[in-house]
Amino acid sequence: MANRTDPLARSIHGTNPQNLLEKILRMKIYNSVYWKEHCFGLTAESLVDKAVDINHLGGTFGGQRKPTNFMCLVLKLLQLQPDREIIVEFIKNEDYKYVRVLGAFYLRLVGKPLEVYQYLEPLYNDYRKLRTRNAEGHFGLSHMDELIDDMLKQEYLFDVALPRIPSRLTMERTQLLQPRISVLEDAFDEGALAEEAGNAAAQAAALEAQMVAESEAARRDRAKASSPPSARRPRSRSPHRERRRSHSRDRDRDRDRDRDRRGRDEGRPRDRSDRGRDERKRHRSMSPGDRRDSRKDRRREATGGGGSDALADPAANDALRAELGLKPLRR
């Protein structure tokens, strides 16, 4: 029958190779249209033509969980169990990326841990895009290196439980594998790395200096904004202020001129006109009553009254009248 395993096929992991897929998944594949129309009577050689026509990856999708064409071909490979050379050619094929994924997924199911790491790890350097179909039937985008990493590290992929394999660290500790060397390590040079580090440090220093300058400018702006309006507003030259300033200058100038004149007057003898001027000033500064008394005294002195011995002397009388700025009496 078309659903039976090849009689010459060997058991894988102690069981029938088809049992690596769950029974419910196998039943869905057996009942699918693609399996009945395109997978019947396929051989290891003719299966390559069907693998070339694959345009997406996935397990089952939709409400009825229909299997993808990729999963149907995986089950057919488990039935046929082709030679290892054919699977290796699938993996090394660089023209058809989905053929490469088909060979890698089959080797992940049936291969030994050492073979899985040896053949799948070189595919980390393949970064081509792959179209995948999720359980809801929507298409998504993935990459070859991502899918290979999931095959080596995940336990469940494309609705299939992957056989357990030791981690790479365990394989290295048991000396079954050498430490993996990435192809990107040759692209890095110590001198280039040191130069790049120096450039990064210079850029960081320039950025820090720019940030300090910006913070200082912001601090000055805040200080200017917080200062009172009178402190940051320039003093305007108003006419009223200029007029008041000119008046104060004139007053200072007059005061200096009066001080100089008084100094000159003190240095020379006072004549009759100066004494008369001082007498008039003193007369203006008196009260009305004092002025009347002063006039009476002067009249009495001028007429020779008062009965005083000092005023009875004609010489003393003339000297007093001269001090008051009056003419001497006629005799």
Side-chain angles (χ1 to χ4, degrees), residues 184-322:
L184 298 178
E185 293 183 2
D186 297 335
F188 293 100
D189 187 12
E190 293 183 358
L193 290 177
E195 183 179 359
E196 185 178 356
N199 296 335
Q203 292 178 0
L207 181 60
E208 184 178 0
Q210 182 180 0
M211 293 176 63
V212 170
E214 291 179 356
S215 62
E216 186 67 20
R219 186 184 63 80
R220 287 196 298 268
D221 294 341
R222 288 195 299 270
K224 187 183 297 182
S226 60
S227 61
S230 59
R232 64 173 183 269
R233 185 177 59 204
R235 294 176 61 85
S236 61
R237 302 176 64 88
S238 63
H240 178 68
R241 186 179 294 110
E242 291 293 333
R243 192 181 307 111
R244 187 169 53 190
R245 187 177 303 165
S246 62
H247 291 342
S248 63
R249 285 198 297 266
D250 295 340
R251 189 165 49 253
D252 295 339
R253 192 180 303 112
D254 295 339
R255 189 182 300 111
D256 296 338
R257 190 181 299 113
D258 294 340
R259 189 180 301 111
D260 295 339
R261 186 183 297 112
R262 284 196 300 271
R264 289 195 300 270
D265 294 343
E266 291 176 358
R268 62 183 178 85
R270 296 170 59 87
D271 55 1
R272 183 179 299 175
S273 61
D274 294 337
R275 287 195 297 271
R277 189 183 305 110
D278 293 342
E279 186 64 25
R280 285 193 296 272
K281 288 182 178 180
R282 189 163 53 251
H283 179 72
R284 283 196 298 267
S285 62
M286 292 180 181
S287 62
D290 295 337
R291 291 176 185 175
R292 286 192 298 269
D293 295 339
S294 177
R295 283 196 296 269
K296 290 178 180 179
D297 293 339
R298 286 199 302 271
R299 193 178 301 113
R300 188 181 302 113
E301 291 174 359
T303 56
S308 175
D309 296 337
L311 294 178
D313 189 1
N317 193 8
D318 292 340
L320 179 60
R321 292 180 65 85

Side-chain angles (χ1 to χ4, degrees), residues 173-191:
R173 288 177 178 176
T174 56
Q175 298 183 354
L176 296 177
L177 285 176
Q178 296 297 326
R180 180 174 177 269
I181 300 177
S182 175
V183 295
L184 298 178
E185 293 183 2
D186 297 335
F188 293 100
D189 187 12
E190 293 183 358

Side-chain angles (χ1 to χ4, degrees), residues 43-58:
T43 61
E45 293 77 11
S46 61
L47 187 141
V48 178
D49 298 333
K50 300 297 181 182
V52 171
D53 296 335
I54 298 176
N55 57 10
H56 65 276
L57 306 174

Side-chain angles (χ1 to χ4, degrees), residues 123-129 142-145 182-184:
L123 301 184
Y124 275 129
N125 303 324
D126 191 350
Y127 309 109
R128 288 180 290 181
K129 298 177 181 179
S142 183
H143 296 82
M144 180 72 72
D145 57 333
S182 175
V183 295
L184 298 178

